[in-house]
Amino acid sequence: MTEVVADLLSDTLTRPTAAMRHAMAEAEVGDDVFREDPTVRALEERVAGLLGHEAGLFCPTGSLANQLGLRLHVRPGGEMLADSLAHVVRAELGAAAVFSGITSRTWSSVAGRLVAADALAMVTTGVGPYQVETQLVVVENTHNFGGGTIQPLTEIEALRAGLEPLGVPMHLDGARLWNAHVATGVALAAYGRLFDTVSVCLSKGLGAPVGSVLVGSTDAMAEARVWRKRYGAGMRQAGVIAAAGLYAVDHHLDRLAEDHARARRFATALAESVSVVDPAAVETNIVMIDTSSTGRSAAEISAAVGEKGVRAYPAGKDRVRLVWHLDVDDAGTDAAIEAFREVLLTR
């Protein structure tokens, strides 16, 4: 079996550090279903405050946090809008339809980047019993399948301004919002306050082993708590894992800049050898390699670099996705550069 020297399959691969494990072991706990876990409550309050909202709800997964957010806003049979590459429509296994009876329509985007006018052009309201009405618009920041794209704050603001008179709320899938904040310097609350609900993930680049937080108004989070239990995700002494999230927010946030720098260094070095990546398109920790000019599929190239100890994700027929995280250092980045050079320069 080939030794893995750089695992760039996903930033979900980050492992808890020794200090994070210590924080977990020392966590004060209680029964979270009864709201008696002080560490969970501290995490919820901390993240809600960072994002400019009243309250938070700790969830086991990002998909659940998103689905609870959607459920809060859209009645069964109602419609949510998102871009065609959005995680909530591509990678959550139809949960919005299965769990909540939500219908979906999508607009096309380039690299997942939001253009407010494209979303607003699709909004349908005030049509009575004749058409499905739009009850929610979802934005993803940063955008996973877009390649770590950062959404322009001006476009989010324009979308909010267009939706407010229509009474249509907004949900942010902010699984990697931390990355957008670190890359741009835009305050988390500046993003968060533009949305009615926001989900953020702790188990990707921040390195916690599990967990996401949904934030919104106090009333919304009280309702989401009921649905979390109804979906079977009530947790007991969850402070053990919430402590990892608190540690991650306090100690790992600034370190995301290291991931961004290594991703750009990889893209720049590879572009000097073969034209399969645009370094200017690398905004955060994700690099997308276009294999369409190589004569080989993304799956074939991923398998080939895998034989050299570098794991990557074939994100479609002709795109390979690589994601930097805290467990991939400079040596791992150098190994990835060499592996891709060898594979792509060999016909």
Side-chain angles (χ1 to χ4, degrees):
M1 184 174 180
T2 303
E3 178 188 1
V4 176
V5 294
D7 202 332
L8 297 162
L9 193 68
S10 173
D11 44 8
T12 60
L13 300 173
T14 50
R15 292 167 294 185
T17 62
M20 181 182 286
R21 289 174 183 268
H22 178 75
M24 295 170 70
E26 296 296 315
E28 187 179 357
V29 299
D31 191 323
D32 182 50
V33 169
F34 294 111
R35 299 255 350 189
E36 293 178 352
D37 191 303
T39 308
V40 170
R41 294 179 68 167
L43 174 65
E44 292 170 342
E45 291 168 7
R46 175 117 168 83
V47 174
L50 286 171
L51 294 169
H53 281 269
E54 291 179 339
L57 180 68
F58 186 40
C59 298
T61 70
S63 291
L64 179 60
N66 275 337
Q67 291 305 316
L68 291 173
L70 306 185
R71 179 90 205 195
L72 290 173
H73 301 300
V74 187
R75 298 182 299 276
E79 173 185 84
M80 73 167 179
L81 301 179
D83 81 274
S84 61
L85 296 175
H87 193 276
V88 293
V89 294
R90 286 194 69 193
E92 296 184 15
L93 304 183
V98 173
F99 291 156
S100 303
I102 295 173
T103 65
S104 304
R105 282 191 299 141
T106 60
W107 67 85
S108 295
S109 65
V110 177
R113 198 177 307 278
L114 173 67
V115 177
D118 293 343
L120 291 169
M122 295 186 66
V123 176
T124 303
T125 60
V127 292
Y130 306 105
Q131 295 181 41
V132 176
E133 293 207 355
T134 305
Q135 296 176 9
L136 180 68
V137 177
V138 181
V139 176
E140 185 176 333
N141 192 22
T142 66
H143 201 294
N144 180 6
F145 292 112
T149 308
I150 300 170
Q151 303 297 0
L153 188 62
T154 53
E155 292 298 320
I156 301 172
E157 291 170 336
L159 180 59
R160 182 74 184 190
L163 291 175
E164 247 176 344
L166 303 175
V168 176
M170 292 167 56
H171 172 74
L172 174 61
D173 176 359
R176 294 181 175 88
L177 186 64
W178 316 107
N179 295 86
H181 159 65
V182 168
T184 64
V186 173
L188 290 164
Y191 286 120
R193 290 192 182 110
L194 293 170
F195 295 86
D196 297 271
T197 50
V198 180
S199 67
V200 288
C201 188
L202 304 166
S203 65
K204 293 187 172 68
L206 290 187
V210 64
S212 288
V213 180
L214 176 70
V215 304
S217 69
T218 300
D219 288 346
M221 293 305 98
E223 183 180 352
R225 183 174 294 276
V226 172
W227 281 104
R228 187 187 70 172
K229 182 70 163 64
R230 191 169 280 148
Y231 285 160
M235 297 181 287
R236 301 300 182 182
Q237 288 71 37
V240 173
I241 51 177
L246 275 171
Y247 184 91
V249 170
D250 289 339
H251 295 90
H252 290 175
L253 188 54
D254 291 342
R255 290 188 62 191
L256 295 178
E258 300 172 23
D259 301 338
H260 301 174
R262 289 181 177 121
R264 284 192 296 272
R265 185 162 71 83
F266 169 88
T268 300
L270 190 61
E272 292 172 354
S273 301
V274 57
S275 298
V276 293
V277 61
D278 176 9
V282 179
E283 298 180 2
T284 53
N285 64 321
I286 300 177
V287 176
M288 289 290 194
I289 295 175
D290 182 356
T291 67
S292 59
S293 63
T294 67
R296 285 175 288 177
S297 70
E300 290 171 328
I301 288 176
S302 295
V305 295
E307 293 176 359
K308 298 179 180 298
V310 176
R311 286 219 304 169
Y313 181 78
K317 180 181 177 182
D318 56 8
R319 293 207 308 171
V320 175
R321 187 190 71 178
L322 298 93
V323 189
W324 266 257
H325 52 88
L326 296 180
D327 287 3
V328 180
D329 58 13
D330 288 340
T333 301
D334 290 339
I337 292 169
E338 291 308 310
F340 272 90
R341 275 177 174 163
E342 290 179 22
V343 167
L344 291 169
L345 293 173
T346 302
R347 294 287 180 176

